[in-house]
Every structure is written in structure tokens, then in C-alpha cells.
Amino acid sequence: MYTTGTAFLEGLYEAGVSYIFANLGSDHPAIIESLARAKKENKELPAVITCPHEFVALSAAHGYAQLTGEPQAVLVHVECGTQNLGGAIHNAYKSRVPVLIFAGASPYTQEGELTGSRNEFIHWIQDVRDQRGIVRGYTKYDNEIRTGFNVKQLIYRSLQIAKSDPAGPVYLMGPREVMEEETTPVTLENELWQPILPGAIAPEQLDELTRDLLAANAPLIVTSYLGRNTDAVGELVKLSEKLSIPIIESIPHHMNFPHNNPMHCGSQWNVSTQNKLLADADFVLVIDSDVPWIQTKNKPSDKAKIYYLDVDPLKEEMPLWYIPSKQFLKADSYIALQQINKHLNEYEIDQDAVSKRWWKYSEVHNSLMAEKRNVEETRTDIITPEYIVACVRDVIDKENTIVLNEAITNYPAVSNHIEVDRPGSYFGSGAGSLGWNGGAAIGMKLANPDKTIVSLTGDGSYMFSVPSTVHWMANRYNTPFLTVIFNNSGWKAPKMSTLGVHPRGVANETEEFWVSFDPTSDLAGIAESAGNAYPINVEERAELRSALEEGVNKVNEGRAVVINVTIPHVYKDGDTRARGKNTIIQTDTM
């Protein structure tokens, strides 16, 4: 019997979906039966990855799409599974990652009128008024499958929308009776359902931008995720080197510009001081960045000419967002940079000014590099985040490694010290719900099995990742990766947020922030118990490098590794919870 469920699975496969990250339930008998029949008949369908938690399922699809650009499918159980997607769908939506999510729905008949009618008590409990509304604020498109006769058209339309810029998640749902319905096979032509082609800069805007750029004495480019298209990196390098334009990365969640290039002038996060290059710039081109700077702390001069280029330059889904700019350019960064580089050939360039800038910003780059080396080697009695990253950088094979960064308060340490130079070699989640790192590592390993995946995470974000599920999946599906935990025994971010608003408040006075993870858990042991990961605990600085080398070797042999590294815990002077040399005694009031 050819059912809607069968047509649904066929549609995913024909549309190019390789994996279904599935958390199946009572709403999926048609899909399970169709999968079983396909296996028996050796029929090709997307591979099913069983995911014991929906957050990990979507995080894995997120990671796969980040690396490949190709959306995968996530199957969840009615409204309960939809809600369990939680922060993961926030991440996919805010970071513009395409994915197709399908959830079943409670049957709409209860007396056996149709195949799939209600026969379990939960079919009443899980029937809600607006299941699609649960995720409507985090999807580009949602719809309900009402018949098998057009289910493939809905899949193709959903994926077309998901992949069109700005990309993002789409959500379909289908009741049991509909998925069990007998239907007729349909064949669609892929080329008729392609995503919308990326946009370019209008000729008049291109000419004005180019003229202002050439007239600038201190131009600057700021980006966060230009590297999502790896080809755009080369065009940015070409523009930067042609005019000696320094590059600043703001909260980078892709590899956007080679760190060894003399025009790379660092990355910034929630810095409390003004970036001098940003303050001195008379022309700022922001390319692909949601938060290029934080206006209360660190921003360009009011006299600077600002151009904003992005596939979503108005940020229509962000209720409060504005960066006054001379122009807002809705265009694909790769195409736009190609346009700019080509258009510059029509103008005479002041090579003397370009040479002076090259010397000036090369000195800034060299000074930053020297400062980083100094920071990495300071406080030789303890393990600092910068030292961890430096050791990881030295141990990994950069040409064959992908680094994930979810170190949160140590995010800047990773982004500044990992020093990646190859497009597609570095990723962050791009959003704000913690725990992306574990599932994303699995998704990226599935997408590129030949690469070594290294996840750098805080202890808080590690626990948010549902490590028991992550490492069970890594073991079952042979996707080993290395996790390095920056363990400061608590959520440092809420503490820093509180001190940022109340630097001399009672919370600081009493050291009560309710963020401590004491007594500590055996974080590496969780992964070992759940998925046979190789656990390593590091408390001594002298042990770190050899532990990382051992970890990389184990991963390359096919076993996941979790290295739990104790880093300084921040407590007040006299606090009885202060422990040993890996504790910083804080005596001031921030």
C-alpha cells in the first residue's frame, strides 16, 4: 500500500535530504511502516538517525546544514516533541540555518472511522489548539499535510523556502489518518523548485559605495558570518588586500578571514572598552553581522560613513534593532564583493595611501599577535582559557580539523586564539540557546567523516547539550569527536551580566549569584557511561598538552573523547569555597 507516509519519505529523498534525525512516537506508524518496507525491499530513502532527545536532533541537523548548506529533516512527536525542540529551533532560526521539521499530530477521529484513528489515551492528551503556533515565531513557513496527493509539493515548497535567503527552519505536521491514507505516486522535477537566487547590489548603490570607499582615509570592514559561504572569504581577502582595509570580526560564528593575514585585526565580543580601529574609522562596511558592535560600550564615530550589507539588512524579525547607515544593501555577500572588486578596476587607486595603510594595520596585527602570545604564557601556575586554546591550536591538524566554539564567557579566548585560516574550519551556533555544540558535532561529522571535529565548550553549555544523548548517538553512529570542557564550575555569564548592571551591588558584596555547580559532576564520566567516550580530567597545566594529543589520537582511532579541564573559579577573598591554585581570589568590586 502506497501511503502519504511513503510519499513523504520519497519526497525527502528526491529533494536531496540525506538524513532524518528522528524522535518517533505514536503519531508515526505510517512512517515507521514505510521505512521498514523500504528496508525490506532495498529501496533508497534518507538514513534515519535515532535521537533520544529532540534538542540534539535539531542541533545535529543544524550542524550538518552549517557545513554543507543542505537542509536535513527532523522528525518529532506531536506537540510534546515540538516543544522539546525548544532552544534548538531558536538557534536555527536566528542563525539562518535551513532545516525541515515534521511533527505528527493527534488523530482527528476516535471511533475507528479511518486507519490511524485514536487508540491510545495520549491521543486526547496531546491534542492541542494550535500545534504549529508553538514554533511559528521561529520558522519561515508552517503548514499541515492534509492529503497525500500533494505531500511532495509541500516538501519541495518547504525546502525551497528554507534554503532561500534569509534561510531558516520550516515546519510541517500531519495527523495519523492523513499519513496512513492511500495515495498515488507523483514525480516532481527538482529544477523547478530551486531556492531564490541570491541578490546583488544595484548599480547606483554600487557606484556610491565604491566612491565613498576610495575616498576614505581609514576604512574598516566588520563581519560575523560572511564565511557561511566559503567562497566569499576569498573575495573579502581580495578587497582587503587591494585597498589595505583592516577586518574586525564581531562575535564570529564562521571563519570569515584568515587570522594570519596582516589585515586581520582581531575579534570582539561583549567588550567594555572602545575598539580604537572602530572609533578612528571614517568608513565602515558591515557585511553579514547582526551585532557588529554594542552601542553603549563600543561603536564607530558619529562622523563615520556606514554601509550595511546583508541578506536581511532590516532584521525584520528583531523588534528592536537599528544601526543608522548611509545605505542598507540587501545582497549576498559573495556576489556583492565580486561586484565591488570588479567595479574598483574602473577607478584609479591611490597606491601610496594603500601602502601606508598596509604598514599601519600590519603593525596593529603584529602587536595583537604578540599580545596574544604573551597572554597565553602568563600565569604559568594555572590553566587559563587562552592557554587551553593555544594548546588545541598547536595539537590539531588545521587542514583537517573543524573547530566548534560554544565556550560562552570564554568565546573571545577561542575566537581570538584558535587562529583559523581555512574557510569552513570554524563555527559557532550563531544564536543564544546553549547546548548546540554536541549535536552540531555529530551533524558535522556525518557531513564530513574525514574531518576531525573539536568542540570547545563551557561546562554549562556542555550540560545543556544533553551529553547522555549526544554520546549515545556518537557511539551508535560512529561519529567520534573531541570535546574540551572549560570547567569553571558554574555559569559565569549570569554573574558577569549582574556585575555589568550592579558592579557594587549586594550580589557582588555577598558573592551570591546562584550560578555555582558545586559540588562538581563527573562531566567526562557522563559521556563514558552513555556512549563509551574516553574520559580525561585535567587539573595541572603540565598535563594539558599531552592530554590533548592523546585525545586527538583516540578520536582519530574512532572513539569520542571528553577532556574536562579545570580552569580558574572566581570567588571573593575569604570565601571558604575557594580551592587551590586553580582559583582566582577576587579582592576588588569589579
Side-chain angles (χ1 to χ4, degrees):
M1 185 173 176
Y2 187 87
T3 66
T4 303
T6 305
F8 174 81
L9 294 168
E10 278 186 2
L12 292 177
Y13 181 74
E14 292 165 5
V17 171
S18 300
Y19 290 99
I20 297 171
F21 298 95
N23 190 293
L24 299 166
S26 64
D27 45 334
H28 297 129
I31 288 175
I32 293 172
E33 182 67 13
S34 295
L35 286 167
R37 182 179 296 275
K39 184 175 181 179
K40 181 180 179 180
E41 298 174 354
N42 294 316
K43 179 180 178 180
E44 288 194 74
L45 289 177
V48 177
I49 305 294
T50 300
C51 305
H53 198 286
E54 295 86 348
F55 180 94
V56 183
L58 184 47
S59 296
H62 183 149
Y64 190 102
Q66 278 183 299
L67 197 59
T68 66
E70 294 300 323
Q72 302 304 296
V74 175
L75 265 63
V76 298
H77 178 47
V78 295
E79 102 290 7
C80 294
T82 299
Q83 291 182 90
N84 250 10
L85 293 171
I89 197 166
H90 156 94
N91 288 341
Y93 185 63
K94 294 298 182 182
S95 56
R96 302 176 186 86
V97 171
V99 61
L100 187 150
I101 301 164
F102 172 79
S106 285
Y108 53 79
T109 59
Q110 69 173 31
E111 296 184 27
E113 300 95 327
L114 296 169
T115 303
S117 187
R118 295 186 181 187
N119 61 358
E120 301 176 40
F121 87 96
I122 56 170
H123 294 153
W124 283 266
I125 306 303
Q126 294 173 338
D127 187 8
V128 297
R129 295 178 183 175
D130 186 10
Q131 181 173 313
R132 288 152 60 189
I134 297 169
V135 294
R136 190 166 294 127
Y138 300 92
T139 57
K140 291 187 65 184
Y141 170 78
D142 67 83
N143 205 345
E144 180 178 338
I145 299 170
R146 295 182 174 91
T147 176
F149 290 100
N150 67 357
V151 65
K152 288 189 180 180
Q153 288 89 332
L154 290 185
I155 290 170
Y156 274 70
R157 172 167 166 75
S158 297
L159 290 171
Q160 182 183 42
I161 292 172
K163 294 173 70 172
S164 296
D165 278 329
V170 293
Y171 181 86
L172 294 174
M173 59 176 278
R176 282 212 316 189
E177 294 94 332
V178 171
M179 301 309 290
E180 295 284 356
E181 174 187 85
E182 187 171 4
T183 189
T184 303
V186 172
T187 301
L188 302 179
E189 296 183 37
N190 276 347
E191 59 269 21
L192 302 181
W193 299 85
Q194 294 303 304
I196 302 303
L197 290 174
I201 306 174
E204 307 81 28
Q205 293 177 315
L206 177 62
D207 193 60
E208 185 177 8
L209 183 155
T210 305
R211 289 179 183 276
D212 282 347
L213 176 58
L214 289 172
N217 293 314
L220 177 68
I221 294 175
V222 181
T223 186
S224 300
Y225 48 84
L226 171 141
R228 64 183 182 156
N229 182 343
T230 56
D231 292 333
V233 176
E235 291 296 325
L236 180 60
V237 171
K238 187 184 299 183
L239 174 60
S240 172
E241 292 183 345
K242 183 178 290 187
L243 297 181
S244 298
I245 305 174
I247 309 297
I248 293 176
E249 296 182 279
S250 181
I251 323 169
H253 47 95
H254 286 73
M255 185 278 166
N256 302 302
F257 194 82
H259 283 223
N260 64 358
N261 190 295
M263 291 299 99
H264 189 281
C265 290
S267 67
Q268 59 187 26
W269 200 54
N270 290 339
V271 293
S272 57
T273 55
Q274 176 66 54
N275 185 302
K276 189 174 188 305
L277 288 184
L278 190 59
D280 291 345
D282 58 0
F283 175 97
V284 182
L285 175 58
V286 180
I287 309 177
D288 291 346
S289 179
D290 292 334
V291 187
W293 49 76
I294 296 177
Q295 291 157 326
T296 57
K297 304 175 181 179
N298 172 35
K299 63 180 182 178
S301 163
D302 292 337
K303 297 179 181 179
K305 291 181 179 178
I306 298 173
Y307 282 74
Y308 194 91
L309 191 156
D310 195 279
V311 292
D312 179 25
L314 292 180
K315 313 297 178 196
E316 295 179 52
E317 297 300 323
M318 295 184 187
L320 177 61
W321 186 95
Y322 52 85
I323 295 174
S325 301
K326 184 175 180 180
Q327 286 187 5
F328 290 89
L329 308 171
K330 185 171 185 176
D332 175 82
S333 56
Y334 174 53
I335 291 176
L337 286 167
Q338 284 183 311
Q339 288 182 282
I340 295 169
N341 283 324
K342 184 177 180 180
H343 200 56
L344 282 170
N345 295 331
E346 301 178 13
Y347 294 86
E348 185 175 343
I349 297 173
D350 184 346
Q351 294 298 338
D352 184 55
V354 170
S355 296
K356 289 179 180 178
R357 282 202 298 268
W358 185 268
W359 178 86
K360 175 182 177 180
Y361 296 124
S362 294
E363 287 296 305
V364 173
H365 170 84
N366 292 337
S367 177
L368 288 171
M369 293 293 285
E371 182 181 340
K372 286 192 290 184
R373 295 296 176 268
N374 182 57
V375 169
E376 290 166 6
E377 295 303 325
T378 56
R379 301 190 65 91
T380 54
D381 56 329
I382 65 172
I383 305 174
T384 64
E386 294 80 7
Y387 181 70
I388 296 175
V389 182
C391 289
V392 171
R393 183 188 68 223
D394 293 344
V395 166
I396 61 175
D397 174 5
K398 282 190 175 184
E399 290 301 312
N400 294 294
T401 301
I402 296 171
V403 176
L404 310 188
N405 181 2
E406 200 173 20
I408 311 306
T409 52
N410 293 308
Y411 196 101
V414 176
S415 61
N416 274 310
H417 291 262
I418 197 65
E419 296 176 13
V420 288
D421 301 315
R422 182 176 54 81
S425 62
Y426 168 90
F427 295 90
S429 79
S433 184
L434 303 186
W436 156 90
N437 66 91
I442 291 172
M444 291 190 185
K445 188 66 175 178
L446 286 170
N448 199 330
D450 295 332
K451 296 293 184 184
T452 299
I453 312 297
V454 176
S455 172
L456 306 180
T457 177
D459 49 335
S461 48
Y462 173 79
M463 287 192 280
F464 272 127
S465 74
V466 198
S468 56
T469 288
V470 165
H471 286 282
W472 177 86
M473 289 173 60
N475 188 44
R476 175 165 177 170
Y477 295 106
N478 192 29
T479 54
F481 63 96
L482 172 63
T483 300
V484 180
I485 303 173
F486 295 63
N487 190 343
N488 60 9
S489 193
W491 285 314
K492 187 178 178 183
K495 175 178 179 177
M496 302 311 293
S497 297
T498 303
L499 293 174
V501 179
H502 303 285
R504 294 173 177 80
V506 176
N508 181 57
E509 176 187 341
T510 61
E511 192 64 25
E512 291 292 352
F513 296 93
W514 290 275
V515 293
S516 172
F517 291 161
D518 291 327
T520 58
S521 299
D522 182 4
L523 299 184
I526 293 171
E528 181 185 27
S529 298
N532 193 37
Y534 187 74
I536 304 176
N537 290 288
V538 177
E539 295 187 355
E540 300 292 335
R541 184 181 174 103
E543 300 170 351
L544 180 60
R545 190 177 297 270
S546 61
L548 288 167
E549 291 172 347
E550 181 183 12
V552 169
N553 289 335
K554 289 287 185 182
V555 169
N556 290 336
E557 291 170 3
R559 186 175 180 185
V561 176
V562 175
I563 303 179
N564 179 42
V565 185
T566 301
I567 63 173
H569 303 174
V570 183
Y571 299 118
K572 284 185 70 68
D573 190 10
D575 192 325
T576 57
R577 291 172 295 175
R579 293 186 297 270
K581 67 182 180 182
N582 270 343
T583 300
I584 291 178
I585 302 301
Q586 177 185 313
T587 56
D588 61 14
T589 55
M590 300 295 286

